[in-house]
């Protein structure tokens, strides 16, 4: 207890209890002035703890009032109340803290970056001032490529200047907020094709959501089925039944993870450390239940393979509304709910809702972004939780406390109001131990995202993200002053928190929605403006004004379901701002980057949360072709944003977006265009070997120093970056290799397709990536699928190999003097081949068997370059002396 007294009455340096309206909770020094500025806040925080014992112990709450007298009174409170006083002190502590990278690690890194930039400037001064006259074209092209690549490096490097990590305190969250006080969360799970995305994968994701460690009445799971498949509908019905026995098992034994497929496939000895016999018995019984559940799902899948000519029919004999996938009405079915059947222990289960939005021919449905916006609206009508988590169907919850991790940020009394979303890193199952195709994206999630978290926040990566619903509605973050003005000036209508009325009158919407102060919200002053922005649904409009969530009082379930069907109709978004300023934005296949960028432009911040146990896990493309198509989709999305009105180069100059954050978004948009200089630069070494020319002039002593210094700086930058980030050298090297592989293939095609789309020729049609549910996922690693994306890297490999043979042959023919210049050419050519090595392994497939198409393509290119090589006559002696015939010499 003495330590507790010391900690509270004399806080250590580096801990700040509260923060001002304009700043985050940051490391700093505690001072008396700060206490007085936040005394009301201190009392309100303490009250959440003290109120628990108000009825039983009147003195506890009265003692809490001593907090308003200053920090010197805290010790008295703790001494009087013992453990309760200690909890009171803990409740006053921040729910999270920012952890900066130690200066001993980050400062050398920054120094080397500055040094590398200086060396680059001096190196380019040398390169530009010493042209190679006998190979001027090669020299000019190489200098342009080098400058472009250097600028790309700067765009990637500068946002890493202030990397940070964050820690959360779940114990303090539990003390400050009772479970019934935690914020409700609506969880979205999206799927588009149950035949390519096996229903058992979606079922496991849903089960992990339903069994999350969070109050059941606070969780609602919405599953969007864009294929209107009866297979998924029946799967969710079976999943709801299985959840009644699975959820109690998870809660009873606190198991991790809570996706049954992942849990039962763990290679661990669950009998270790003398496990209680009851757990062993229940686990075996649960595993048998799960195997039976899988059999039921497999039967449904087998049945779905053969669709009847008359279409699917439901159990009551009515035709299935989604028999025509592209033309059907909207469907909503509550599979689990508060009024439904409880679990086997009689406890309430989270709500589970099946949704398939209406689709009609002639309408643009905007794929995933459109489905997400439909989920936003229907969830607002049915549950209207203030926070939203979105997951892909193959992205299950691996850490059951993930929602509480997010609440440590979103329920912060000050910072939470400025926070648009909490992004978690993506982690994957089923990837080969060597991560041949860099599926883990470790550099992105463990280096770049930490750097962005130190600026304005990480980018949104499409899944594993908990949103503040208000940010999705296009609102701007409100300052504390503005919130106080709003709470006093807004009308006390049914759509606002703290409403004293008990009925919801749709006839009063005109009067209520027109009651805003025009000076505060000039664009939202009437019902007409609300409908123009959000669509014609009074219930949904009312929900958008409820900052703390919840449903309007007095509204009946029949009206709610009618409005829910209305807001997912295909024509609802016409002449509104959905997809333009509200919800997930349209116009790019990578709607995630676009949506997050728009939020940051409005002034919102985001947070990157990396709990010790991975929050989510999912599947990734295993074979080479699928991986390249995934990269093509991402790169094409960035290209589309570049040619749109949302490009960071010219959008969002309102003073809300920090310049380093703008650079990061610019890098995320323009990186596909780096494929052009990269492809050229990878071709130049082979051209030099074939022609005998070189793009670098003869090195002087000073030039050799600059070149050596540049290589040393590159190595030091990588080493120091790995030190402060904790990323392994293997992960970093795999990322470098696949940056080259993707750059000369998928990125290049993305630029070409983006230009065609600008010209009005849209040839893109991405389909859902096929996912594997069984344990043979690694077998796909050797699966070869021919695609045109393989042509450029294959050509580069063959070209450089032919160039190496030609260069060595020429050196052998010309003698010792030609070996010196050859080494420089061979170095660059080997650099290309080493980076493309994983690509070569992917072409070979299992047991080094080369596919026929690769053999034919290789022979064709080899013949072409062989004829070019023969044209150079590299085997013939050079005619540098007199003609022997004219000298009269007969050999």
């Amino acid at each position: 207890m003495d330590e507790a007294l010391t900690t509270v009455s004399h806080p250590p340096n580096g801990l700040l209890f509260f923060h001002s309206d304009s700043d985050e909770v940051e490391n700093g020094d505690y001072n008396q002035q700060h206490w007085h500025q936040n005394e009301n806040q201190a009392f309100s925080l303490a009250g959440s703890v003290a109120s628990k014992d108000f009825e039983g112990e009147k003195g506890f709450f009265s003692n809490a009032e001593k907090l308003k007298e200053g920090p010197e009174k805290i010790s008295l409170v703790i001494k009087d109340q013992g453990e309760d006083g200690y909890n009171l002190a803990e409740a006053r502590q921040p729910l999270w803290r920012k952890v900066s990278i130690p200066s001993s690690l980050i400062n050398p890194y920054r120094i080397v970056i500055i040094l590398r930039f200086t060396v680059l400037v001096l190196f380019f001064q040398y390169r530009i001032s010493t042209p190679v006259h006998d190979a001027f074209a090669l020299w000019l092209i190489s200098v342009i490529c080098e400058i472009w690549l250097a600028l790309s490096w700067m765009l990637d490097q500068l946002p890493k200047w202030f990397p940070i990590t964050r820690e959360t305190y779940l114990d303090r969250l539990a003390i400050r907020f009772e479970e019934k006080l935690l914020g409700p969360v609506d969880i979205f799970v999206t799927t588009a094709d149950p035949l390519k995305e096996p229903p058992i994968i979606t079922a496991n994701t849903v089960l992990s959501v339903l069994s999350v460690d969070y109050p059941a009445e606070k969780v609602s799971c919405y599953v969007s089925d864009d294929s209107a498949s009866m297979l998924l509908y029946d799967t969710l019905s079976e999943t709801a039944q299985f959840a009644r026995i699975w959820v109690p098992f998870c809660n009873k034994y606190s198991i991790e993870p809570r996706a049954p497929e992942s849990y039962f496939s763990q290679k661990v000895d669950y009998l270790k450390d003398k496990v209680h016999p009851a757990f062993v018995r229940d686990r075996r019984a649960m595993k048998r239940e799960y195997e039976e559940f899988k059999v039921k799902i497999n039967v449904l899948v087998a049945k779905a393979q053969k669709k009847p000519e008359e279409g699917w029919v439901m159990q009551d004999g009515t035709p299935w509304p989604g028999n025509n996938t592209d033309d059907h009405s909207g469907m909503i079915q509550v599979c689990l709910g508060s009024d439904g059947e409880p679990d086997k222990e009689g406890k309430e289960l989270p709500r589970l809702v099946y949704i398939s939005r209406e689709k009609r021919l002639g309408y643009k449905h905007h794929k995933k972004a459109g489905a997400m916006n439909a989920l936003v609206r229907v969830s607002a009508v049915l549950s209207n939780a203030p926070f939203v988590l979105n997951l892909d169907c193959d992205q299950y919850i691996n850490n059951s406390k993930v929602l509480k991790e997010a609440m440590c940020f979103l329920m912060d009394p000050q910072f939470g109001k400025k926070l648009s979303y909490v992004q978690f890193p993506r982690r994957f199952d089923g990837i080969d131990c060597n991560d041949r195709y860099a599926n883990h994206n470790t550099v992105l999630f463990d280096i770049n995202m930490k750097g962005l978290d130190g600026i304005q926040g990480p980018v949104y990566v499409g899944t594993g993200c908990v949103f503040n619903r208000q940010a999705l509605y296009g609102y701007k973050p409100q300052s504390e002053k503005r919130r106080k003005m709003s709470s006093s000036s807004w009308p006390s209508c049914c759509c606002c928190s703290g409403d004293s009325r008990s009925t919801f009158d749709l006839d009063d919407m005109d009067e209520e929605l027109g009651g805003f102060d025009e000076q505060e919200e000039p664009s939202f002053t009437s019902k007409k403006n609300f409908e123009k922005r959000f669509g014609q649904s009074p219930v949904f409009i009312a929900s958008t004004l409820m900052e703390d969530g919840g449903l309007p009082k007095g509204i009946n379930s029949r009206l709610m379901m009618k409005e829910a069907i209305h807001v997912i109709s295909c024509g609802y978004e016409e002449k509104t701002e959905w997809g333009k300023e509200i919800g997930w934005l349209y116009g790019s296949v990578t709607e995630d980057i676009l949506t997050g960028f728009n939020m940051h432009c409005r002034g919102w911040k985001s947070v990157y949360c990396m709990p010790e146990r991975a929050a989510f896990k999912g599947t990734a493309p295993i074979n080479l072709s699928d991986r390249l198509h995934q990269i093509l989709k991402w790169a094409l999305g960035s290209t589309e944003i570049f040619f749109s009105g949302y490009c960071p180069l010219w959008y969002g100059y309102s003073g809300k977006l920090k310049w380093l954050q703008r650079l990061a978004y610019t890098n995320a948009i323009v990186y596909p265009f780096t494929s052009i200089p990269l492809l050229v630069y990878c071709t130049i070494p082979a051209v030099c070997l074939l022609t005998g020319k070189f793009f670098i002039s003869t090195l002087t002593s000073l030039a050799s120093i600059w070149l050596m210094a540049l290589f040393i700086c590159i190595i030091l930058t990588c080493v120091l970056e790995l030190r402060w980030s904790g990323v392994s050298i293997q992960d970093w090297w795999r990322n470098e290799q696949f940056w080259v592989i993707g750059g000369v293939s998928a990125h290049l095609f993305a630029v070409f397709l983006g230009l065609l789309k600008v010209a009005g020729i849209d040839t893109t049609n991405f389909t859902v990536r096929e996912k594997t549910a069984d344990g043979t996922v690694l077998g796909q690693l050797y699966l070869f699928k021919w695609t045109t994306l393989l042509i450029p890297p294959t050509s580069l490999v063959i070209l450089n190999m032919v160039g190496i043979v030609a260069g060595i042959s020429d050196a052998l023919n010309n003698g010792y003097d030609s070996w010196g210049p050859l080494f420089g050419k061979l170095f660059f050519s080997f650099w290309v081949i080493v980076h493309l090595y994983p690509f070569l392994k992917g072409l070979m497939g299992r047991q080094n068997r080369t596919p026929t198409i690769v053999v034919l393509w290789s022979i064709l290119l080899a013949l072409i370059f062989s004829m070019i090589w023969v044209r150079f006559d590299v085997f013939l002696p050079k005619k540098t002396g007199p003609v022997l015939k004219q000298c009269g010499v007969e050999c």
Side-chain angles (χ1 to χ4, degrees), residues 419 489 695 711:
L419 195 58
S489 60
F695 59 93
F711 279 110

Side-chain angles (χ1 to χ4, degrees), residues 649-675:
L649 293 175
W650 49 75
Y651 178 81
Y653 284 95
S654 60
K656 300 293 186 180
L657 191 67
K658 296 183 179 181
W659 70 274
L660 279 178
Q661 192 79 13
R662 184 177 297 278
L663 285 180
Y665 274 111
T666 301
N667 182 51
I669 300 307
V670 304
Y671 78 90
F673 295 92
T674 308
S675 61

Side-chain angles (χ1 to χ4, degrees), residues 137 305 332 378 402 470 703 740 843:
Q305 300 295 330
I332 299 177
V378 73
V402 62
Q470 293 294 306
V740 175
L843 289 182

Side-chain angles (χ1 to χ4, degrees), residues 808-826:
I808 294 176
S809 301
D810 186 58
L812 290 173
N813 184 61
N814 291 330
Y816 176 79
D817 292 337
S818 61
W819 283 97
L822 176 66
F823 285 129
K825 304 171 187 176
L826 290 178

Side-chain angles (χ1 to χ4, degrees), residues 363-388:
Y363 284 87
K364 288 186 177 180
H365 302 291
H366 303 290
K367 298 184 178 180
K368 181 181 177 181
M372 295 301 299
N373 286 336
L375 286 173
V376 170
R377 295 192 295 270
V378 73
S379 64
V381 172
L382 296 180
S383 55
N384 195 32
F387 308 115
V388 170

Side-chain angles (χ1 to χ4, degrees), residues 427-617:
R427 306 300 187 197
F428 302 97
D429 288 328
I431 296 177
D432 61 299
C433 58
N434 294 321
D435 192 15
R436 178 186 296 180
Y437 305 130
N439 280 295
H440 283 302
N441 287 321
T442 309
V443 172
L444 170 64
F445 291 116
D446 290 14
I447 298 181
N448 295 357
M449 298 289 262
K450 289 181 180 178
L452 292 176
D453 201 15
I455 308 173
Q456 197 171 343
V459 298
Y460 168 45
V461 298
T463 184
C465 186
V466 183
F467 284 93
N468 183 337
R469 187 183 283 269
Q470 293 294 306
L472 291 170
Y473 291 153
Y475 294 126
K476 296 180 179 179
Q478 295 182 359
S479 64
E480 182 66 25
K481 179 180 179 180
R482 186 177 177 185
R483 283 197 297 273
K484 291 179 180 178
M485 292 175 60
S486 302
S487 62
S488 61
S489 60
W490 284 11
S492 57
C493 62
C494 63
C495 51
C496 300
S497 58
D499 175 33
S500 58
R501 302 191 310 177
S502 60
T503 60
F504 179 78
D505 190 355
L506 293 177
D507 296 333
D508 293 338
M509 283 299 297
D510 287 337
E511 179 180 352
E512 291 173 350
L513 296 178
F516 289 93
D517 187 345
E518 294 187 7
Q519 295 181 351
E520 296 173 24
E521 295 288 347
S523 59
F524 305 114
T525 57
S526 66
K527 176 185 176 183
K528 183 178 179 180
N529 287 335
F530 272 98
E531 291 181 346
K532 183 178 179 181
R533 185 173 178 84
F534 295 109
Q536 297 184 359
S537 172
V539 178
F540 175 71
I541 292 175
S543 69
T544 64
L545 303 176
M546 304 176 70
E547 185 177 353
D548 297 326
L551 297 174
K553 297 181 181 180
I555 186 171
N556 58 60
S557 58
R558 181 179 178 182
L559 176 60
M560 239 198 298
M561 193 59 65
K562 181 180 179 181
E563 284 295 308
I565 291 291
H566 172 55
V567 297
I568 63 172
S569 60
C570 58
Y572 182 84
E573 295 182 355
E574 287 188 350
K575 298 181 180 180
T576 68
E577 295 188 14
W578 284 100
K580 301 173 185 176
E581 294 294 332
I582 301 176
W584 274 257
L585 302 192
Y586 304 147
S588 172
V589 293
T590 52
E591 69 287 332
D592 44 6
I593 294 180
L594 195 57
T595 302
F597 171 63
N598 200 31
M599 290 179 180
H600 283 137
C601 287
R602 293 196 189 99
W604 290 96
K605 296 182 179 180
S606 58
V607 159
Y608 193 52
C609 183
M610 298 181 65
E612 184 176 354
R613 180 180 178 85
F616 307 98
K617 283 191 176 182

